[in-house]
Amino acid sequence: MTAAFYKNKDKFYIAVDCIIMGFQDNELNILIAKRPFEPMKGGWSLMGGFVNEFESINDAAKRVVGEFTGIDDIYMEQVGAFGELDRDLERVISIAYYALVDIEKFDTTLAVKYDARWVKITQLPELIFDHSLMVKNTLNLLQRRAAVKPIGFNLLQEQFTLPTLQSLYESIYQEDIDKRNFRKKILSMDILEKLDEKDKSSSRKGAFYYRFIKEKYDQLIQQGLHFSI
Amino acid sequence: MTAAFYKNKDKFYIAVDCIIMGFQDNELNILIAKRPFEPMKGGWSLMGGFVNEFESINDAAKRVVGEFTGIDDIYMEQVGAFGELDRDLERVISIAYYALVDIEKFDTTLAVKYDARWVKITQLPELIFDHSLMVKNTLNLLQRRAAVKPIGFNLLQEQFTLPTLQSLYESIYQEDIDKRNFRKKILSMDILEKLDEKDKSSSRKGAFYYRFIKEKYDQLIQQGLHFSI
DNA sequence: GAAAATAAGTGTTTACTTTACACTTCTATT
DNA sequence: AATAGAAGTGTAAAGTAAACACTTATTTTC
């Protein structure tokens, strides 16, 4: 047999649908848009696009997130492939990726261009096709990942306060965390650097800024230890 | 815009590649075969097939595993989509699934038909394309899943001994487990039923058989408790 | 039929991790 | 000078995980 072996096989459109997450007002937000074309025109949808012949699926996802946010150094991970029959008019198999972005870097002119907006994860409307399922699976995956890898920092600016970091994890796990226990744990890993500057925007006392130091994290791993929240 | 929107998009062959796992000789085994066609003819390969137009990707995976094992009540889970450019001569995007089967139910005539064989996971040869990566990701996923869900039983016959169950987990985690701690933990969940019969095949004393009772597991969950090894 | 061989089976102690919990400090505002 | 409000701090108790060695049941051997 030769390449002709493939000839009688079916071919499919492949979409990438991206769960683009940002952190705003102490909550995870997801970028969604009104779908501009049929089918399901006008329905709320994740940001998506089609895979092109000469790009990998990972590259396609990176491209799509770049198109819709203007950001291109992005932490992404695949959620999985979704391929039920009734997903679309034409058969489309979709591969979902979540992306963690610093919402401050978001190019807001693109929100206008694509009729997109950031919506709190707790207040998402019903999304088209299986997009709601994709979000559900993403949150699941994110909860497992964020517990053992320092990926949460991708959602924050370089400098952040511990109260902010804590509320990020509270939003990811959707449950309250004890302030003392949280600080004890994150600081004991010695992967953060305390800065002299304070953020005074949310209290009179002000909260000190910290930075995540990747080198210190790498050291931790080299010692056979693990990140864990 | 209408369905015509899709018209200028590229289409792709979609394969499902299945990491079919069985448990034999106290070790996880994976079913692999010599590839019968080009490209990479003769290379070691996972069991795979192409997705057809009128089946979901999950159904395609079930079909493929059925074809190669003769078993059709199968625990499966998607590992993820693999879509690098150099995977094949023609562009093929592949979706990997792992399947946990009771190797006793395996139809051995199919092994002959497809030139397939069970190979210990610790002794796998280099596989074609990104199949080795798929196996690696599967073991990773399986380790995380098996720790919190009672999926290991899918690899065993209905009756099994605790020493067998333990060696299954040891093979999944690729590390030794303390016998007393293991028994304490698994028995404390009260999801197994001890039978009167013994397996005398591997010791003079013989080891009692146990059965996994799904109803007891469901009860556990209802009580807000969790399976955990 | 007694002794040996071998895997199955059994509890307790120690270390570690997680959870629960309340007051003081800092600083802007009144 | 007093007040308001979030930031910041430590300890004790409970629960979980890890370490560890001998007895039991049965077949095989002599």
Side-chain angles (χ1 to χ4, degrees):
Chain A
M1 284 188 244
T2 70
F5 174 79
Y6 296 102
K7 282 290 155 49
N8 58 335
K9 303 301 175 187
D10 301 319
K11 290 183 124 183
F12 302 85
Y13 296 113
I14 306 292
V16 288
D17 285 314
C18 299
I19 298 92
I20 304 176
M21 304 186 124
F23 185 66
Q24 206 172 39
D25 303 328
N26 287 334
E27 258 207 79
L28 283 178
N29 282 243
I30 293 179
L31 192 65
I32 60 176
K34 285 249 167 96
R35 183 173 234 239
F37 50 80
E38 295 295 345
M40 300 298 276
K41 182 172 176 172
W44 288 107
S45 154
L46 293 171
M47 313 312 287
F50 286 90
V51 176
N52 299 324
E53 170 117 38
F54 297 110
E55 68 184 351
S56 73
I57 56 176
N58 287 342
D59 287 345
K62 278 235 150 66
R63 170 177 58 75
V64 166
V65 175
E67 274 171 24
F68 290 118
T69 64
I71 311 172
D72 50 39
D73 59 323
I74 292 168
Y75 180 83
M76 296 193 73
E77 186 181 353
Q78 190 191 119
V79 177
F82 292 75
E84 291 303 316
L85 286 178
D86 55 353
R87 296 191 67 259
D88 216 316
L89 273 181
E90 296 254 352
R91 177 87 190 269
V92 173
I93 290 171
S94 184
I95 303 169
Y97 286 80
Y98 75 87
L100 306 181
V101 307
D102 172 1
I103 211 165
E104 297 292 323
K105 292 189 187 150
F106 176 65
D107 179 349
T108 51
T109 64
L110 293 171
V112 178
K113 180 170 172 192
Y114 295 113
D115 197 9
R117 66 204 68 182
W118 292 98
V119 177
K120 289 188 172 67
I121 193 165
T122 55
Q123 288 168 26
L124 283 180
E126 194 58 34
L127 305 180
I128 63 170
F129 304 137
D130 41 12
H131 288 196
S132 291
L133 176 63
M134 291 175 183
V135 172
K136 183 168 164 252
N137 289 4
T138 294
L139 187 59
N140 231 278
L141 180 58
L142 182 60
Q143 287 172 345
R144 282 181 287 117
R145 282 288 185 272
V148 299
K149 297 231 161 148
I151 60 176
F153 303 110
N154 292 293
L155 289 158
L156 303 175
Q157 294 175 258
E158 201 187 328
Q159 302 188 2
F160 50 84
T161 67
L162 292 188
T164 298
L165 186 63
Q166 178 175 340
S167 66
L168 168 60
Y169 278 97
E170 287 175 331
S171 181
I172 290 174
Y173 299 130
Q174 304 201 156
E175 66 182 30
D176 289 348
I177 301 173
D178 180 90
K179 187 166 44 160
R180 280 168 289 189
N181 293 339
F182 177 78
R183 285 169 166 260
K184 208 188 317 167
K185 210 163 184 181
I186 192 90
L187 291 177
S188 72
M189 284 185 268
D190 192 31
I191 56 174
L192 301 184
E193 180 182 55
K194 185 179 182 176
L195 307 181
D196 292 330
E197 208 184 337
K198 275 183 172 185
D199 167 29
K200 293 274 187 69
S201 68
S202 60
S203 79
R204 288 167 184 171
K205 185 177 183 179
F208 282 102
Y209 280 115
Y210 286 77
R211 283 194 316 132
F212 170 63
I213 311 290
K214 174 136 192 337
E215 290 68 32
K216 289 191 168 190
Y217 168 70
D218 291 339
Q219 247 176 273
L220 185 80
I221 298 304
Q222 260 184 335
Q223 290 165 34
L225 301 174
H226 297 284
F227 179 92
S228 158
I229 292 289
Chain B
M1 284 190 246
T2 70
F5 175 80
Y6 297 102
K7 283 290 154 50
N8 57 335
K9 303 300 175 186
D10 300 320
K11 288 183 126 183
F12 302 85
Y13 295 114
I14 306 292
V16 288
D17 285 314
C18 298
I19 298 92
I20 304 176
M21 303 186 124
F23 185 67
Q24 205 172 40
D25 303 328
N26 287 334
E27 257 206 81
L28 284 178
N29 282 245
I30 293 178
L31 191 65
I32 60 175
K34 285 250 168 98
R35 185 174 232 236
F37 51 82
E38 296 293 345
M40 301 297 275
K41 182 171 175 173
W44 288 107
S45 154
L46 293 170
M47 311 314 287
F50 285 90
V51 177
N52 298 325
E53 170 118 38
F54 297 109
E55 67 184 351
S56 73
I57 56 176
N58 287 342
D59 289 344
K62 279 234 150 66
R63 170 176 58 76
V64 166
V65 176
E67 276 171 22
F68 290 118
T69 64
I71 312 174
D72 51 36
D73 59 321
I74 293 167
Y75 179 84
M76 297 192 72
E77 185 182 353
Q78 190 190 119
V79 177
F82 293 75
E84 292 302 316
L85 286 178
D86 55 353
R87 295 191 67 259
D88 216 317
L89 274 181
E90 295 255 352
R91 176 86 190 269
V92 173
I93 290 171
S94 185
I95 303 170
Y97 285 79
Y98 75 87
L100 306 182
V101 308
D102 172 1
I103 210 165
E104 297 293 323
K105 294 188 187 150
F106 177 64
D107 179 349
T108 52
T109 64
L110 294 170
V112 179
K113 180 169 170 192
Y114 295 112
D115 198 9
R117 65 204 70 182
W118 292 99
V119 178
K120 290 189 172 66
I121 193 165
T122 54
Q123 289 169 26
L124 284 179
E126 193 59 33
L127 305 180
I128 62 169
F129 304 138
D130 40 14
H131 288 197
S132 291
L133 177 61
M134 291 177 185
V135 172
K136 185 169 162 249
N137 289 4
T138 294
L139 187 59
N140 231 278
L141 181 57
L142 182 60
Q143 287 172 344
R144 282 181 286 117
R145 283 286 185 274
V148 299
K149 297 229 160 150
I151 60 176
F153 304 110
N154 292 293
L155 289 159
L156 303 176
Q157 294 175 258
E158 200 187 331
Q159 303 188 3
F160 50 83
T161 67
L162 291 187
T164 299
L165 186 63
Q166 178 175 343
S167 68
L168 168 60
Y169 278 96
E170 289 175 329
S171 181
I172 290 174
Y173 299 130
Q174 304 199 155
E175 66 182 31
D176 289 347
I177 302 174
D178 180 90
K179 187 166 46 160
R180 281 169 286 188
N181 293 338
F182 178 79
R183 286 170 164 260
K184 208 187 317 167
K185 210 164 183 181
I186 192 90
L187 291 176
S188 72
M189 284 186 268
D190 193 31
I191 55 175
L192 299 185
E193 180 182 55
K194 185 178 181 176
L195 306 179
D196 292 331
E197 208 183 336
K198 276 182 169 184
D199 168 29
K200 294 273 189 69
S201 68
S202 61
S203 80
R204 289 167 182 169
K205 184 177 182 179
F208 281 103
Y209 280 115
Y210 286 77
R211 283 195 315 132
F212 169 63
I213 311 289
K214 174 135 194 338
E215 290 69 31
K216 290 192 168 190
Y217 169 71
D218 292 340
Q219 246 175 274
L220 185 81
I221 298 304
Q222 259 183 335
Q223 289 165 36
L225 302 176
H226 297 285
F227 179 92
S228 158
I229 293 288

